[in-house]
Amino acid sequence: MASVTYSAGIDHVSGALSKPSKSGQHSCEKMLLATHRTAATTSNKCNRLYLRTPQKRTSALSQREFENRAKFMVVAGMIKARKADLMKITTDQQAFLAQKNDPDGAKTMKAYYWKICGAEYDQQHS
């Protein structure tokens, strides 16, 4: 991953800059991909450049990886439900604003949801 600055007049580029060729003598499996992040962030570096190559896993998933994937799925579902719950929206927004400027506070609402739902999951499963 690299941070990218484009020439004057070009703000951002998003998409494949080169695609793998599947035919011919010079076929390769690499793809050059440029992205422009639009999600909320605290960084002002939004342009990224990736060189994608196919990867094959050489080992089986560990127990910890299974647990992390399960936690991610459950917490993502908790966040989705909490964001849709009209009874919690106002209190969540107030609590978010109250902790936003703390040193360990979440800077975006999405990060706040991950923080509180992750803590709730950990409390239930410890």
Side-chain angles (χ1 to χ4, degrees):
M1 175 178 67
S3 179
V4 179
T5 304
Y6 296 107
S7 298
I10 300 174
D11 183 38
H12 66 274
V13 175
S14 186
L17 301 177
S18 70
K19 292 184 179 181
S21 173
K22 295 184 181 184
S23 63
Q25 189 175 17
H26 299 286
S27 63
C28 67
E29 296 180 348
K30 297 177 184 174
M31 176 185 228
L32 188 60
L33 185 66
T35 62
H36 179 73
R37 182 180 54 223
T38 57
T41 182
T42 56
S43 172
N44 63 350
K45 296 183 178 179
C46 301
N47 295 317
R48 297 281 189 259
L49 193 61
Y50 301 93
L51 182 61
R52 284 184 40 189
T53 57
Q55 299 293 319
K56 292 190 179 186
R57 187 175 184 101
T58 58
S59 62
L61 290 174
S62 68
Q63 183 63 31
R64 184 178 174 125
E65 288 173 311
F66 277 118
E67 292 168 1
N68 287 343
R69 288 179 180 199
K71 177 181 177 180
F72 182 88
M73 287 178 22
V74 172
V75 173
M78 292 168 66
I79 291 169
K80 185 175 181 180
R82 189 172 185 118
K83 286 169 66 173
D85 188 354
L86 298 177
M87 301 300 286
K88 293 184 180 181
I89 290 176
T90 304
T91 56
D92 283 346
Q93 288 174 344
Q94 291 170 346
F96 165 70
L97 292 173
Q99 63 83 50
K100 183 178 178 181
N101 295 322
D102 291 344
D104 61 341
K107 303 301 180 202
T108 64
M109 192 69 180
K110 184 182 276 189
Y112 175 73
Y113 278 132
W114 277 100
K115 181 179 177 181
I116 59 173
C117 291
E120 185 179 325
Y121 177 90
D122 290 340
Q123 186 180 24
Q124 292 173 356
H125 293 86
S126 60

